[in-house]
Amino acid sequence: MNRTVKILHLAALTAAAALFLATTTDVAAQTSRNCGPREAVVTRLAEGYGETRQSMGIGANNAIVEVFASDQTGSWTITVTAPGGLTCLVASGQAFEELAEALPVNESDA
């Protein structure tokens, strides 16, 4: 994976982590619906949806943000794992594509 793709993935992961942390006020409230032990969540994504980890990064408060996706079905899921090991689903959807877009050319002389 080239540097540009890594930067784009990290930017997306950071935005997802920020959104997650901004909208989550109580982790305990999330556990019954969207959270569980990391191993169980990863197993469910693999067995239920054919998703594997595509990228990862460190978000706010040392949380691990990961993007899982299936090349066959195009489904994707973003997870955030707290330092204590609790993994929460942040977002999911369809039509996952890996992009390698170039950064825009900066034409200023500065």
Side-chain angles (χ1 to χ4, degrees), residues 42-51:
V42 171
T43 298
R44 177 71 174 133
L45 292 174
E47 293 176 358
Y49 301 95
E51 295 180 5

Side-chain angles (χ1 to χ4, degrees), residues 1-107:
M1 189 179 303
N2 68 33
R3 187 170 192 260
T4 302
V5 172
K6 288 181 182 180
I7 290 170
L8 292 172
H9 280 195
L10 186 56
L13 292 171
T14 301
L19 176 64
F20 172 75
L21 294 172
T23 59
T24 304
T25 56
D26 184 10
V27 173
Q30 295 288 321
T31 59
S32 63
R33 252 184 12 181
N34 299 324
C35 301
R38 184 180 184 285
E39 185 175 319
V41 171
V42 171
T43 298
R44 177 71 174 133
L45 292 174
E47 293 176 358
Y49 301 95
E51 295 180 5
T52 59
R53 186 169 56 186
Q54 303 294 314
S55 60
M56 65 179 289
I58 298 177
N61 299 326
N62 292 322
I64 302 296
V65 181
E66 298 170 290
V67 176
F68 293 83
S70 169
D71 292 334
Q72 293 181 340
T73 66
S75 69
W76 58 266
T77 305
I78 298 174
T79 65
V80 174
T81 303
L86 185 66
T87 298
C88 297
L89 303 178
V90 176
S92 62
Q94 295 295 318
F96 178 82
E97 293 182 34
E98 186 173 323
L99 301 176
E101 296 176 346
L103 291 173
V105 176
N106 186 356
E107 296 193 23

